[in-house]
Amino acid sequence: GFISNMSVHRQYFPDDEDEKGAAIRKYNSHINGPYILHGIQEKYLMRFCCCCCCISQPVNCMSCAVRALADPSHQRAGTNLRYFEQLLSKELRARGQSQQEPADERPIQLDTYERPKDYLPEREVYEALCRGEGVKMTQKRRSRLFCRYQDGNRSPRLLLKPMKEEDEWDSPHIVRYLEALSDEEIEKIKELAKPNLARATVRDPKTGVLTVAHYRVSKSAWLEGEDDPVIARVNQRIEDITGLSVDTAELLQVANYGVGGQYEPHYDFSRRPFDGNLKVDGNRLATFLNYMSDVEAGGATVFPDFGAAIWPRKGTAVFWYNLFKSGEGDYRTRHAACPVLVGSKWVSNKWIHERGQEFRRPCGLTEVD
C-alpha cells in the first residue's frame, strides 16, 4: 500500500538539496563529534547517503557514513557500508564494468581536523556557547533578571490576558515571552510555509545581491498577513507586545533547520550605509523570534559578544533591539543559530523596521541610549 501510494508520500522525502546540504554540513562540522573526514569525494559521500536513506532513517544517514569510515569496528555502520558496496558492485556488473572508475581526487584520508585561516574571529567562543560552555551568566547578573506580566502599555488585547515576560539577559536587554504561539497556530504556520520552503539566502555585503551561503544552512518561506487569519493574528500580537508598528516590518519569515542546519554569527541590521533597501522603511530596528519546536540537541541562539545562549522552547518567543535609540547599530547583538544535532528546529521571525516608530521609540539623549 505504501509503495502504491509513493507519489503521495514523495513530498515528505528529502530532495537532492536536502541530501547535499546534510552531507556538506556533516563534512564541514567539527562541533558534532570527534571524527572529521578529509578527501572524500562529494559524489561518493552522496551516494552513500542516498543508500543509507533507503535502508534506514534519514536522520541516521550521515552518522552511519561517519562511523563506518572513522570506526571500522562499528558493527551497524560496517553492515551498512558492506550493503552499499554490494549494491555498487551489482550496478557496475549491470553496466558491464568489472571495477569502479578511478577517482580524480586523492583517496579517502582520515585525519585530525586542522582549522583553516578563519574569517570568523569569534569561532572559538561561538562553538563553545553552542556546546553549552562559556555562558557568562553570573549570580550577580542573574539577580538583575526578573519576570513580569506585559500588557503592551495597556493594549486592549492584552489587558485581560497579559503576556508572561522573562528577562533572558540584562544588557543588551533580551526578553522571552511564554505562550506566544499556541500549538494550533504553530501547525497552521508550518502548513502554510511548507509548500514555499526554499534554501535560505543572504545579502552579499559587496554587491547587495541575494545569494546562498555555506554559513547559512536552512530553508525558509515568507508569509503575508493576507495568507491566513492566523498570520494576521500573529502580526497583530507582535505589535501589541512590543508596542512597535508592524506596518513597515518585513513579512513573517518561517525557517526550518534540519540536522546540521545552522546560521553562523551575523547581524540582523544592515551595515551598508548606502543600502537602497533602507531608503523607504529604514534599518531593522528589532527582532522578534518565535520558537515553533523543541530541539533535542543543539539549535541554541547564541550571542558571542557577551556570552549568552538562549535555548529553543516550543511556543515561546524572544525579542531584542538591533539598534540604539539614535539609530546606530548595536554591534553586541551579533548572534548565531547553532547547528541542530538531533531533531528539527522550526522558527518564525519578524524584523521590525525604523519607520513608523518615531513616536513609539523616540531618540535618546546620547548615541548609545
Side-chain angles (χ1 to χ4, degrees), residues 235-336:
N235 289 340
Q236 183 62 60
R237 186 178 301 144
I238 292 173
E239 179 167 319
D240 293 339
I241 294 172
T242 63
L244 301 173
S245 172
V246 297
D247 292 341
T248 57
E250 297 177 41
L251 302 180
L252 187 71
Q253 180 182 220
V254 181
N256 175 228
Y257 297 82
V259 174
Q262 50 114 36
Y263 193 175
E264 290 184 355
H266 62 281
Y267 300 100
D268 278 353
F269 63 90
S270 175
R271 292 165 293 135
R272 301 172 68 237
F274 304 107
D275 192 340
N277 297 297
L278 306 181
K279 292 180 179 178
V280 178
D281 297 327
N283 213 334
R284 288 172 174 170
L285 172 67
T287 297
F288 194 97
L289 177 64
N290 294 301
Y291 292 116
M292 303 199 301
S293 66
D294 295 313
V295 182
E296 190 171 341
T301 305
V302 298
F303 295 78
D305 187 82
F306 49 90
I310 299 175
W311 299 92
R313 286 157 56 191
K314 184 178 180 180
T316 68
V318 292
F319 173 77
W320 69 85
Y321 283 102
N322 300 305
L323 307 179
F324 292 110
K325 290 183 178 181
S326 63
E328 294 295 321
D330 187 346
Y331 284 82
R332 299 173 299 173
T333 60
R334 184 171 168 88
H335 60 284

Side-chain angles (χ1 to χ4, degrees), residues 39-338:
I40 297 180
Q41 297 179 53
E42 180 182 320
K43 59 181 179 180
Y44 296 126
L45 189 60
M46 286 307 305
R47 292 175 75 177
F48 189 95
C49 180
C50 293
C51 174
C52 286
C53 287
C54 291
I55 61 174
S56 184
Q57 297 179 3
V59 71
N60 295 327
C61 163
M62 290 312 301
S63 63
C64 287
V66 171
R67 287 172 178 171
L69 293 168
D71 182 7
S73 64
H74 192 284
Q75 184 176 357
R76 181 184 174 191
T79 302
N80 287 345
L81 184 59
R82 288 190 293 274
Y83 183 81
F84 168 72
E85 290 171 342
Q86 291 173 4
L87 290 182
L88 186 58
S89 299
K90 290 180 181 179
E91 181 183 340
L92 292 173
R93 286 196 298 272
R95 293 180 181 177
Q97 300 176 5
S98 60
Q99 60 183 4
Q100 190 173 335
E101 297 176 1
D104 297 331
E105 293 87 1
R106 291 177 299 173
I108 293 174
Q109 298 176 2
L110 294 179
D111 201 356
T112 304
Y113 179 81
E114 294 181 5
R115 285 201 175 96
K117 293 182 179 179
D118 208 336
Y119 62 92
L120 202 58
E122 70 271 62
R123 180 172 289 281
E124 295 281 352
V125 177
Y126 154 57
E127 293 179 358
L129 289 171
C130 287
R131 294 191 297 267
E133 304 167 2
V135 179
K136 298 178 181 178
M137 177 57 72
T138 62
Q139 284 300 115
K140 183 177 181 181
R141 171 169 279 121
R142 194 183 300 277
S143 69
R144 296 195 292 265
L145 305 181
F146 299 93
C147 58
R148 64 192 69 83
Y149 284 109
Q150 169 67 271
D151 63 7
N153 196 20
R154 298 189 64 77
S155 167
R157 281 174 287 270
L158 295 179
L159 279 178
L160 295 180
K161 189 182 178 182
M163 296 297 298
K164 301 170 184 177
E165 182 183 274
E166 295 179 348
D167 291 332
E168 285 282 352
W169 208 260
D170 55 345
S171 181
H173 194 204
I174 303 174
V175 296
R176 186 194 293 264
Y177 296 102
L178 309 186
E179 301 173 6
L181 290 176
S182 66
D183 290 343
E184 292 75 15
E185 289 172 331
I186 289 173
E187 292 308 313
K188 187 62 178 180
I189 293 172
K190 288 182 181 179
E191 177 188 329
L192 295 170
K194 283 179 179 178
N196 301 313
L197 286 175
R199 177 70 184 270
T201 59
V202 298
R203 193 172 296 279
D204 189 309
K206 295 181 179 179
T207 65
V209 177
L210 289 175
T211 181
V212 297
H214 66 86
Y215 56 82
R216 186 180 189 186
V217 183
S218 66
K219 287 193 171 186
S220 63
W222 301 83
L223 301 179
E224 300 187 45
E226 293 79 10
D227 291 340
D228 192 272
V230 168
I231 307 302
R233 186 163 68 243
V234 170
N235 289 340
Q236 183 62 60
R237 186 178 301 144
I238 292 173
E239 179 167 319
D240 293 339
I241 294 172
T242 63
L244 301 173
S245 172
V246 297
D247 292 341
T248 57
E250 297 177 41
L251 302 180
L252 187 71
Q253 180 182 220
V254 181
N256 175 228
Y257 297 82
V259 174
Q262 50 114 36
Y263 193 175
E264 290 184 355
H266 62 281
Y267 300 100
D268 278 353
F269 63 90
S270 175
R271 292 165 293 135
R272 301 172 68 237
F274 304 107
D275 192 340
N277 297 297
L278 306 181
K279 292 180 179 178
V280 178
D281 297 327
N283 213 334
R284 288 172 174 170
L285 172 67
T287 297
F288 194 97
L289 177 64
N290 294 301
Y291 292 116
M292 303 199 301
S293 66
D294 295 313
V295 182
E296 190 171 341
T301 305
V302 298
F303 295 78
D305 187 82
F306 49 90
I310 299 175
W311 299 92
R313 286 157 56 191
K314 184 178 180 180
T316 68
V318 292
F319 173 77
W320 69 85
Y321 283 102
N322 300 305
L323 307 179
F324 292 110
K325 290 183 178 181
S326 63
E328 294 295 321
D330 187 346
Y331 284 82
R332 299 173 299 173
T333 60
R334 184 171 168 88
H335 60 284
C338 293

